[in-house]
Amino acid sequence: MKKLFTTTSLLICGVVICLAAIVADVSGKWVGSVKGPDGDTEFPLTYVFKADGNVLTGTLTSPQGDVPISEGKIDGDKISFKISFGDQAIVNTGKVYADSIGVDSDLGGQKFHVLLKRAK
């Protein structure tokens, strides 16, 4: 019985570690869209993330052009970064899932949520 418990525990730990590695893999191209202030217009967004340890870099491509990601951090399945349009900084926080990333953005008190899917 003790051997079965130990084997099962090790198997579960192995699966959890593998899933954590998959979840934390943010490098690559991610696509989504955000609704405009009127609620009707959608703007396409493409993020290209590059992870190096717990540092997140990359770019955002939007209708306004390419914008570099700054102050990017990875903490387990959580990410945070800033993007700037002129003198306007947008703070972003997100959670990484196996096949998507949920990103919450704060633009001077106006909040947006974007669901990104890995581009194929």
Side-chain angles (χ1 to χ4, degrees):
M1 183 70 170
K2 187 175 182 179
K3 187 175 181 180
L4 176 64
F5 177 75
T6 302
T7 303
T8 303
S9 296
L10 288 173
L11 181 62
I12 290 171
C13 287
V15 169
V16 168
I17 289 170
C18 289
L19 287 175
I22 291 170
V23 168
D25 182 20
V26 299
S27 291
K29 188 176 188 179
W30 298 82
V31 295
S33 63
V34 65
K35 290 192 179 204
D38 63 6
D40 293 328
T41 309
E42 283 198 37
F43 299 99
L45 303 173
T46 301
Y47 288 88
V48 177
F49 292 126
K50 296 174 188 156
D52 185 12
N54 65 346
V55 176
L56 181 66
T57 60
T59 58
L60 161 67
T61 301
S62 73
Q64 287 77 26
D66 290 349
V67 180
I69 292 170
S70 64
E71 300 180 36
K73 297 177 186 163
I74 302 170
D75 183 14
D77 64 350
K78 296 186 178 16
I79 61 172
S80 62
F81 58 93
K82 288 184 182 177
I83 54 174
S84 296
F85 291 97
D87 62 346
Q88 192 89 16
I90 302 172
V91 177
N92 299 271
T93 57
K95 183 164 180 172
V96 181
Y97 301 94
D99 64 345
S100 63
I101 301 175
V103 177
D104 293 309
S105 303
D106 186 346
L107 174 61
Q110 190 173 18
K111 302 197 186 281
F112 300 94
H113 180 78
V114 178
L115 182 63
L116 303 173
K117 296 285 188 175
R118 190 178 291 275
K120 296 181 182 186

